[in-house]
Amino acid sequence: MTSKSFSLAAKGLKINTADDLQSHVASLIESKDVTHIDLSGNTFGVPACKALASILSSKSSTLQSIDLHDIFTSRLLEEIPPALSSLLNALLECERLHTIDLSDNAFGLNTKDPLVDFLSKHTPLQHLILNNNGMGPIAGTSIANALTSLAARKAEARKEGREAPDLESIVCGRNRLENGSMGAWAKAYEAHKSGIKSVKMTQNGIRQEGISHLLRSGLSHCKDLEVLDMQDNTFTLMGAGALSEVVPSWTKLRELGVGDDLLGASGSIKLFEALAKGDTKSVEVLRLQYNDITSQGVKSLLQAAKHSMPKLRRVELNGNKFDEDDLSIGALAELLGERRDAEGKDDDPEDFWGLDELDELEEESSDEEDEAAEEEEKLEERILETADEVDNEPVAQRKDPDVDELAGALEKTEI
């Protein structure tokens, strides 16, 4: 309990009207210094959102972060735009609001406009969390274009002597962004290149052409990037090659997530060789599961870990194609263990150091042609599976347990 936070998180309330709202927000109305509000896990109707907007406007000088994920469950499609407009228009008045979580709400073609308007104008924005919003490539393009416009607005504000912090982090996962929106997203990241530190775009059905464009034309400009999580998309050798080209330029990179991305045996070696040659002294975590990495790849990774990544502490390699008794795996585990002994703390989580459980390894093929054919077949199956998943993915009802460390940092206490 703290005097600066207000929460109705996960109460499962169905708040339809202004009268329904009043019984739950008395302490929020009275608060003079609230900095964080969490309304997630409830459902709000249009009249309730209008009443709530008035309350949010009254907190314009103090509010710094707000969690609005999963707030429209069971609402009709036509209810969401006016309800969302009321909330976001009020938040535009909040001059210190730097973090907003709008995950698990449907922002497809018919409901995206209020969000697009907000994102193009809210110059205090630093951290944006959009996970499982059912965007698709067209709505996703509109969101990215809004962020590009935001960069111009921030620049104008600074010229006028107003404070406009950099956009530092974006979470936009499980949104079916696909290749079609990657041109717009590349422009958005280039526009915010001076500030971007964390990008998480997992499970978006992005294929190798889109991945390559995003990396080369967008994220390559973000020299201060510290965290990149692109897990559960499709890289193949093409995307792995693009990543290998740009990763040496990220000299502050701490965490790289490319698990379940079909890097392939050759693509993974390209990446490890690039990590070995680049300035990767800050890298702490590599997520590399389910990528057809072979024993040769593990050997290459070991050399990079030894000589170029002195801070590397955690490597996830389950689901690849090598033997658990591989000598390089043993040496890598020993190296990470030594670092834990030297640098670890008693309260470090179990998965903070070392290797993950290697309980789903595959056998390495001795026939390169068979391996290539198998990789191509797996790629085709993966594309079909991804298409089925996104077509059937529920929106505005399902929570992602690992949206982002920023979301986890949002306070969950009540006044």
Side-chain angles (χ1 to χ4, degrees), residues 280-283 304-313 339:
T280 54
K281 294 181 177 62
S282 297
V283 175
K306 279 184 176 180
H307 304 297
S308 302
M309 293 183 282
K311 293 185 178 180
L312 185 65
R313 57 176 172 76
R339 291 177 180 176

Side-chain angles (χ1 to χ4, degrees), residues 55 324 410:
I55 299 172
E324 189 173 1
L410 292 177

Side-chain angles (χ1 to χ4, degrees), residues 20-39:
D20 294 339
L21 183 69
Q22 289 302 314
S23 62
H24 300 288
V25 295
S27 59
L28 175 60
I29 293 172
E30 294 172 2
S31 176
K32 303 298 183 184
D33 60 354
V34 65
T35 59
H36 173 71
I37 295 174
D38 189 344
L39 304 175

Side-chain angles (χ1 to χ4, degrees), residues 325-339:
D325 296 326
D326 187 283
L327 293 179
S328 294
I329 277 291
L332 181 59
E334 183 178 356
L335 176 66
L336 299 179
E338 290 172 352
R339 291 177 180 176

Side-chain angles (χ1 to χ4, degrees), residues 15-298:
I15 302 176
N16 297 317
T17 67
D19 288 340
D20 294 339
L21 183 69
Q22 289 302 314
S23 62
H24 300 288
V25 295
S27 59
L28 175 60
I29 293 172
E30 294 172 2
S31 176
K32 303 298 183 184
D33 60 354
V34 65
T35 59
H36 173 71
I37 295 174
D38 189 344
L39 304 175
S40 62
N42 302 288
T43 178
F44 297 86
V46 176
C49 286
K50 288 182 178 179
L52 185 57
S54 178
I55 299 172
L56 295 177
S57 296
S58 71
K59 313 302 174 187
S60 61
S61 63
T62 63
L63 187 62
Q64 297 179 28
S65 60
I66 189 164
D67 190 337
L68 298 174
H69 86 262
D70 189 19
I71 62 167
F72 294 124
T73 296
S74 78
R75 297 297 168 182
L76 298 176
L77 191 63
E78 56 266 27
E79 289 184 273
I80 297 177
L84 187 62
S85 290
S86 294
L87 298 178
L88 295 183
N89 286 337
L91 292 176
L92 279 175
E93 301 176 26
C94 298
E95 57 194 28
R96 300 178 65 192
L97 180 70
H98 55 68
T99 300
I100 184 167
D101 186 346
L102 286 159
S103 302
D104 303 310
N105 296 304
F107 297 138
L109 287 176
N110 297 321
T111 55
K112 65 177 175 57
D113 290 348
L115 179 60
V116 168
D117 183 66
F118 173 81
L119 291 179
S120 66
K121 296 177 179 177
H122 190 63
T123 55
L125 187 65
Q126 291 179 270
H127 308 290
L128 175 63
I129 306 169
L130 293 170
N131 221 54
N132 186 35
N133 296 112
M135 292 179 190
I138 299 177
T141 295
S142 296
I143 299 299
N145 287 339
L147 292 173
T148 300
S149 297
L150 177 65
R153 292 258 184 157
K154 284 177 178 283
E156 290 173 7
R158 292 172 190 136
K159 287 181 180 179
E160 295 170 359
R162 292 183 285 123
E163 185 177 354
D166 288 327
L167 180 64
E168 295 184 11
S169 70
I170 294 177
V171 179
C172 193
R174 298 177 65 224
N175 271 311
R176 298 182 293 123
L177 297 179
E178 302 175 2
N179 283 4
S181 69
M182 288 302 101
W185 279 100
K187 290 179 181 178
Y189 287 126
E190 182 180 9
H192 291 279
K193 62 185 179 183
S194 63
I196 288 292
K197 296 179 180 179
S198 177
V199 171
K200 297 190 175 185
M201 301 181 74
T202 61
Q203 197 179 342
N204 270 308
I206 311 169
R207 296 187 60 186
Q208 57 268 32
E209 300 88 355
I211 290 290
S212 299
H213 184 78
L214 180 70
L215 290 168
R216 291 194 176 106
S217 299
L219 292 171
S220 64
H221 298 283
C222 302
K223 303 303 183 183
D224 291 331
L225 191 67
E226 297 178 4
V227 176
L228 178 62
D229 193 345
M230 298 294 299
Q231 294 183 95
D232 203 2
N233 289 289
T234 302
F235 276 60
T236 72
L237 183 59
M238 177 190 291
L243 181 59
S244 301
E245 289 175 20
V246 302
V247 74
S249 67
W250 298 327
T251 58
K252 298 180 181 179
L253 188 68
R254 294 184 294 102
E255 180 176 332
L256 177 63
V258 286
D260 204 9
D261 277 334
L262 291 177
L263 296 178
S266 299
S268 59
I269 290 175
K270 274 183 172 289
L271 173 59
F272 301 149
E273 289 177 346
L275 288 170
K277 295 176 182 177
D279 184 358
T280 54
K281 294 181 177 62
S282 297
V283 175
E284 299 178 18
V285 179
L286 293 174
R287 307 192 191 283
L288 302 162
Q289 294 185 338
Y290 302 97
N291 273 306
D292 292 337
I293 298 171
T294 63
S295 59
Q296 187 60 38
V298 176

